[in-house]
Amino acid sequence: MSTFAEFFAGGGMARSGLGPDWACLFANDKDKKKVASYQLNWGNAEITDKDVKEVSSTDIIGEIDLVWASFPCQDLSLAGGGAGLKGEHSGTFYPFWKVIEQLILEERSPKIIVLENVLGTLSSHDGEDFRAICRSYKKSGYCFGAVVVDASLFVPQSRKRLFMIGVKNDIGLNEALVSPEPIEPFHTKRLRQAVNQLDPNCRDSFVWWNVPTPPHRNVTFADIIEDRPTGVVWHSEAETARLLELMTPVNLAKVTAAQRSERRMVGGVYRRMRKDADGNKVQRAEVQFSDVAGCLRTPRGGSSRQTLLIVDGQNIRSRLISTRETARLMGLDDTYKLPENYNEAYHLTGDGVVAPVVRHLAHHLFEPLLSY
């Protein structure tokens, strides 16, 4: 059985993705409510609510095959203030890496180190934050590569994330796991541009991980919607009518098309401030009917929660997305226990990693690397 440690663990979605053949030796998250959810699903043994700045290698017992770190994204995202790795939140990368350096000094180097974050990591501070992370891998004796994965390949949610994967230099790389050149869809133009800006010394340690694309997803957004949701209530007819009144003619045309589709259609609605014909800012409701939901985000920072518009012929209803539906969008099965409080559950799921993406990377990359 392979072993792992999970930093910034949240509700343990990386653990869910890795699966039962992986043994957790350590997990941390400073958010006590997230820790409570982790314990509710995985037990009390491995998780601590220590801030990563307070964690040391002595908190981790044993040899670790893989370290997973979904460090905070606020300072790297478009919605953030642009502080990058110098920011209060995303800057926790550095105390995390200090723990890695302690493990290396103790001759307990993790075989694989995985970092997950938003795509803003590639361009933050004109790419310098990405280059700093790459230099950390290089300096610590790891070859490394990256993939960009849109969770919509696995679940009905548009959620693009960067996964940086480093492997100890003394681990042999099966030639089937690397490509001599970047390959779509996981090596995007944006990633290639960031890699091209690495200094030659660092670029020598970069590899293009060769990950197969998954089978075609056969679950749509409408498939995960509950007929009798818990924790949310259907809007009144007047509330739904008001939502429609906020739509532009183009968005109303989308609703009309959904009514004519001869099947139930589910649209995700966001309220945005837009300029009208006179240049005045007005609130608009924008709807998107596709087989995927918009990216789940945490309520903090001004990100709005998703409203659903369910169209079945002439019948139009609306409501907030339920927390169980958000969990399904993260690839969690219905046995996963969620907080009873709506905002806490929404925050937990919106701040996590999509479990089937982790499973795909584990099956096609991590596990072959460890068995080679």
Side-chain angles (χ1 to χ4, degrees), residues 87-88 105 176 262 301 320 324:
E88 175 185 356
L105 288 174
E262 300 180 351
L320 283 177
R324 179 54 60 191

Side-chain angles (χ1 to χ4, degrees), residues 66-369:
L66 180 145
V67 167
W68 185 282
S70 295
F71 65 101
C73 68
Q74 290 97 316
D75 302 309
L76 295 166
S77 68
L78 292 176
L85 293 185
K86 295 180 180 179
E88 175 185 356
H89 304 286
S90 300
T92 51
F93 165 77
Y94 289 111
F96 157 72
W97 202 265
K98 183 177 180 181
V99 179
I100 297 296
E101 291 174 336
Q102 291 172 347
L103 290 169
I104 292 171
L105 288 174
E106 296 169 11
E107 299 184 349
R108 292 196 292 148
S109 305
K111 296 181 178 70
I112 303 172
I113 303 173
V114 184
L115 303 177
E116 181 257 349
N117 217 299
V118 296
L119 299 191
T121 308
L122 294 171
S123 54
S124 176
H125 290 157
D126 294 324
E128 179 54 33
D129 289 334
F130 175 72
R131 292 190 290 273
I133 294 172
C134 293
R135 287 194 294 268
S136 296
Y137 274 117
K138 171 77 175 183
K139 180 181 178 182
S140 297
Y142 287 76
C143 67
F144 54 92
V147 292
V148 172
V149 184
D150 190 337
S152 65
L153 291 171
F154 302 87
V155 296
Q157 180 195 176
S158 175
R159 191 182 188 88
K160 295 180 180 179
R161 291 294 184 267
L162 174 72
F163 298 84
M164 298 188 67
I165 302 150
V167 181
K168 280 181 64 178
N169 285 335
D170 59 3
I171 294 179
L173 298 183
N174 186 323
E175 63 180 14
L177 302 180
V178 297
S179 169
E181 296 180 0
I183 302 173
E184 294 283 356
F186 300 132
H187 303 145
T188 62
K189 179 179 179 181
R190 193 172 175 183
L191 173 59
R192 298 194 301 269
Q193 290 173 337
V195 173
N196 287 338
Q197 293 176 357
L198 294 176
D199 65 78
N201 182 49
C202 206
R203 179 67 179 82
D204 287 345
S205 293
F206 190 92
V207 297
W208 295 109
W209 297 119
N210 192 8
V211 181
T213 55
H216 181 72
R217 172 174 52 83
N218 57 12
V219 176
T220 69
F221 190 15
D223 291 332
I224 65 99
I225 297 302
E226 301 175 292
D227 291 324
R228 296 180 177 84
T230 56
V232 294
V233 296
W234 290 97
H235 292 163
S236 67
E237 289 185 10
E239 289 173 311
T240 299
R242 172 58 181 158
L243 190 66
L244 295 172
E245 289 173 359
L246 292 175
M247 292 186 181
T248 62
V250 169
N251 281 277
L252 287 173
K254 296 178 185 178
V255 177
T256 300
Q259 289 178 299
R260 298 172 55 219
S261 67
E262 300 180 351
R263 62 189 176 93
R264 185 178 76 159
M265 298 284 287
V266 177
V269 181
Y270 284 100
R271 296 173 188 252
R272 308 291 193 199
M273 296 305 296
R274 303 296 189 194
K275 289 184 178 181
D276 63 15
D278 298 322
N280 300 314
K281 286 188 176 181
V282 295
Q283 188 181 66
R284 293 297 189 193
E286 300 176 350
V287 64
Q288 182 66 47
F289 290 99
S290 65
D291 72 344
V292 296
C295 183
L296 292 176
R297 293 179 172 88
T298 56
R300 69 176 57 161
S303 297
S304 60
R305 294 174 293 189
Q306 291 193 44
T307 297
L308 303 181
L309 195 70
I310 293 88
V311 180
D312 194 354
Q314 297 305 304
N315 186 26
I316 302 176
R317 296 191 294 172
S318 63
R319 62 170 171 83
L320 283 177
I321 192 170
S322 77
T323 55
R324 179 54 60 191
E325 290 160 349
T326 66
R328 292 171 182 169
L329 290 175
M330 298 302 292
L332 300 170
D333 63 40
D334 288 354
T335 62
Y336 186 90
K337 302 177 182 67
L338 293 166
E340 293 184 6
N341 179 274
Y342 181 92
N343 285 338
E344 290 178 16
Y346 197 107
H347 188 273
L348 182 77
T349 54
D351 207 22
V353 60
V354 173
V357 175
V358 180
R359 175 89 302 267
H360 189 76
L361 293 174
H363 178 67
H364 292 289
L365 195 57
F366 309 156
E367 290 160 1
L369 281 166

Side-chain angles (χ1 to χ4, degrees), residues 3-9 15 23-29 38 45-52 54-61 64 66-68 96 99:
T3 60
F4 73 99
E6 187 177 11
F7 290 77
F8 316 99
R15 180 171 184 161
C24 182
L25 300 184
F26 172 83
N28 93 292
D29 200 294
Y38 191 102
E46 304 89 12
I47 188 77
T48 175
D49 61 7
K50 280 185 178 181
D51 189 303
V52 70
E54 301 169 354
V55 173
S56 74
S57 60
T58 58
D59 294 307
I60 305 171
I61 307 300
I64 305 170
L66 180 145
V67 167
W68 185 282
F96 157 72
V99 179

